Amino acid sequence: MAQQIGVAILAGKYLPGTSLDGEIEQSLAMGVSRTPYREAIRILVAKGLLETRPRTGTRVTPRHRWNLLDPDMLAWMFMGKPDPRFIHDLFELRQLIEPAAAAFAAERRTQAHLDAMASALAEMAAFGLATSEGQAADRRFHDTLFEAAGNEALAALSSSVGAAVQWTTHFKQRASDQPRDPLPEHQAVLDAVAAADPPAARFAMTELLRLALDDMAAAIG
């Protein structure tokens, strides 16, 4: 239920300031009891999409209050056609964070990190990024890079970045019959990290993100 309402809000069916029907009407319309409906509303309030007040009821909040990096929210955005403006903003954020993480990883990685990244790349190649297994391996590659950076503040962002990686990859694979193969750029990142070369790792990740944004722009059309 939270997903259904959340997707409707993100798609613009319910605009900021819109008041939802009362919980009795809404729960009846959705064919559920009031208890699970209340729980769905609680989830959406926690994500910043809704607010509830005693006299005004439940309303959609202004967009600037939405927790747009919440992994669930990212998944919901990509269930339809994502907002090109938000995609651009998301990749700008990734350009700020991930090249720095790659540079740190080149300084601080262990052999276990390199092995995990190499294993993820091998699975990406074996399964292909059109499959859930390949997409999960892609996410593990980026998650391991954040772990290798050895910075707790950066690591705290890995779930959001990982969700962005997963859902942008899923969208690109769904939108194109012959999507570009991004494995060479991932291999370049791994090679630079393995070589303990921070500038090269930063450059390789920057290039990976530049090409990924080009792919997203083509997928969105």
Side-chain angles (χ1 to χ4, degrees):
M1 283 182 289
Q3 174 182 301
Q4 182 178 336
I5 299 169
V7 169
I9 293 171
L10 293 170
K13 181 178 178 181
Y14 300 120
L15 298 176
T18 300
S19 178
L20 300 186
D21 293 334
E23 73 175 36
I24 296 176
E25 293 86 350
Q26 284 279 63
S27 59
L28 285 173
M30 299 180 79
V32 298
S33 68
R34 294 167 67 181
T35 299
Y37 176 77
R38 287 174 186 164
E39 178 62 16
I41 296 300
R42 187 194 65 77
I43 291 170
L44 295 172
V45 168
K47 296 181 186 300
L49 285 172
L50 296 175
E51 64 180 1
T52 58
R53 295 182 179 178
R55 295 183 180 178
T56 59
T58 302
R59 292 182 180 275
V60 179
T61 57
R63 187 179 175 90
H64 70 267
R65 291 174 54 184
W66 299 356
N67 185 4
L68 294 173
L69 294 181
D70 178 274
D72 288 336
M73 296 267 281
L74 288 168
W76 298 345
M77 286 183 195
F78 285 95
M79 287 182 175
K81 185 176 181 179
D83 180 356
R85 181 188 63 178
F86 177 73
I87 295 300
H88 181 267
D89 290 350
L90 182 62
F91 272 88
E92 277 193 341
L93 177 64
R94 291 182 64 188
Q95 285 280 15
L96 290 172
I97 295 169
E98 291 185 83
F104 285 136
E107 295 176 342
R108 303 168 182 171
R109 87 291 185 278
T110 66
Q111 187 59 47
H113 292 133
L114 296 177
D115 291 345
M117 292 172 70
S119 175
L121 271 183
E123 290 188 29
M124 289 166 65
F127 291 107
L129 289 176
T131 68
S132 59
E133 294 89 351
Q135 292 166 19
D138 187 14
R139 180 166 181 169
R140 282 201 310 278
F141 179 93
H142 290 266
D143 286 345
T144 305
L145 185 76
F146 272 91
E147 182 183 325
N151 182 299
E152 282 190 335
L154 276 175
L157 299 173
S158 65
S159 64
S160 294
V161 172
V165 169
Q166 178 180 349
W167 292 108
T168 53
T169 300
H170 178 76
F171 181 83
K172 286 183 288 187
Q173 294 292 322
R174 187 181 72 199
S176 175
D177 292 334
Q178 293 182 317
R180 186 185 61 84
D181 180 10
L183 261 67
E185 297 89 66
H186 286 75
Q187 185 66 58
V189 171
L190 176 56
D191 290 346
V193 171
D197 188 339
R202 182 185 293 272
F203 176 81
M205 181 56 76
T206 299
E207 186 69 1
L208 184 156
L209 292 170
R210 181 185 69 80
L211 292 171
L213 178 56
D214 288 346
D215 292 342
M216 275 301 298
I220 292 174

